[in-house]
Amino acid sequence: MSGINLGSDFLNYIVRQGFQPGDRLPSIQELTNDSHLDMSANKVREQLEVARTMGWVEVRSKRGTRIKNYAFTPAVRLSALYAMACGESFESFASLRNHVESAYWNEACALLRAEDLDVMQACIDGANEKLDSPPIHIPNPEHRLFHLTVFKHLDNTFVLGILEAYWDLYEEVGINRYMDYSYLRRVWDYHAIILGHIINNRFDDARLAFVEHTRLLRHEPGNASWEMERG
């Protein structure tokens, strides 16, 4: 795939020179003097900043610039945030996430290990403890971890990127502000049902329970009822 033109001389240089995750890139001055890269220092800085924003490189004062392991998440998150800032709805991205999670559900469940099921049970226990202890705390970290654990071993960086970006956006747009106690209880009751089915290798039943729990009716304070496809 090294013959692909990435539309960036800097990114093309990284790929064609064979840099791998963890490798340190030459300094900006060294790059401008490299015969394989005919770019000014300002141009290198511009394209380096794009790579940093996309999460492909990290820049640290003492370690220099190093290649990071590829992740789809930063690009998806930034693009979706920009889309929502321009008027696109979070619900559209939530619908995408729901369909992706449902499509890969059985494949992902088949890869789960005993320790993963323990993590999911701990999420349920921790969430119930938060809901039972005044003042009530919304168990968003447990919610995120429960779902992402299901797909932990799925070898598909694009699927994982969409799912991880969904939870980042979920927090960014402040969905938690509109959750009421009864809704949270129903959500975590569903999570217990989902885990029970997975433990008993009933992956189809677990997937159906997931689909059902994304369709829970919710009410935004002060407004008419609205249906959210969220997990």
Side-chain angles (χ1 to χ4, degrees), residues 83-129:
M84 283 187 281
C86 293
E88 292 293 336
S89 69
F90 172 77
E91 286 70 30
S92 294
F93 192 85
S95 179
L96 169 65
R97 169 262 183 171
N98 290 344
H99 286 291
V100 169
E101 194 157 328
S102 180
Y104 285 90
W105 185 273
N106 288 32
E107 181 180 345
C109 285
L111 300 173
L112 289 173
R113 304 165 186 168
E115 55 266 32
D116 302 318
L117 303 181
D118 290 340
V119 169
M120 294 169 71
Q121 183 61 59
C123 289
I124 294 172
D125 295 341
N128 286 330
E129 183 176 347

Side-chain angles (χ1 to χ4, degrees), residues 144-198:
R144 176 186 183 123
L145 181 58
F146 182 92
H147 281 278
L148 292 183
T149 297
V150 176
F151 297 86
K152 179 179 178 180
H153 302 293
L154 190 68
D155 186 21
N156 190 318
T157 189
F158 302 112
V159 170
L160 296 177
I162 291 172
L163 301 184
E164 289 172 355
Y166 166 81
W167 287 105
D168 290 342
L169 297 174
Y170 188 92
E171 296 177 14
E172 184 68 27
V173 300
I175 298 303
N176 291 338
R177 292 196 300 268
Y178 306 116
M179 288 184 171
D180 59 32
Y181 182 79
S182 62
Y183 172 79
L184 290 168
R185 274 299 184 195
R186 292 175 68 193
V187 165
W188 284 99
D189 286 344
Y190 265 106
H191 288 155
I193 293 170
I194 290 168
L195 180 57
H197 287 320
I198 293 175

Side-chain angles (χ1 to χ4, degrees), residues 13-44:
Y13 170 83
I14 289 176
V15 173
R16 290 168 185 169
Q17 294 301 309
F19 287 104
Q20 297 298 314
D23 288 349
R24 186 179 185 278
L25 290 176
S27 67
I28 291 177
Q29 186 58 49
E30 290 170 330
L31 288 170
T32 58
N33 293 331
D34 193 318
S35 61
H36 296 95
L37 186 65
D38 184 18
M39 293 177 64
S40 67
N42 285 339
K43 198 67 175 178
V44 171

Side-chain angles (χ1 to χ4, degrees), residues 200-219:
N200 290 291
N201 294 317
R202 296 196 296 266
F203 301 153
D204 283 330
D205 291 336
R207 182 179 58 80
L208 289 174
F210 162 73
V211 172
E212 288 176 5
H213 104 295
T214 64
R215 295 174 177 168
L216 293 176
L217 288 176
R218 294 188 36 220
H219 298 272

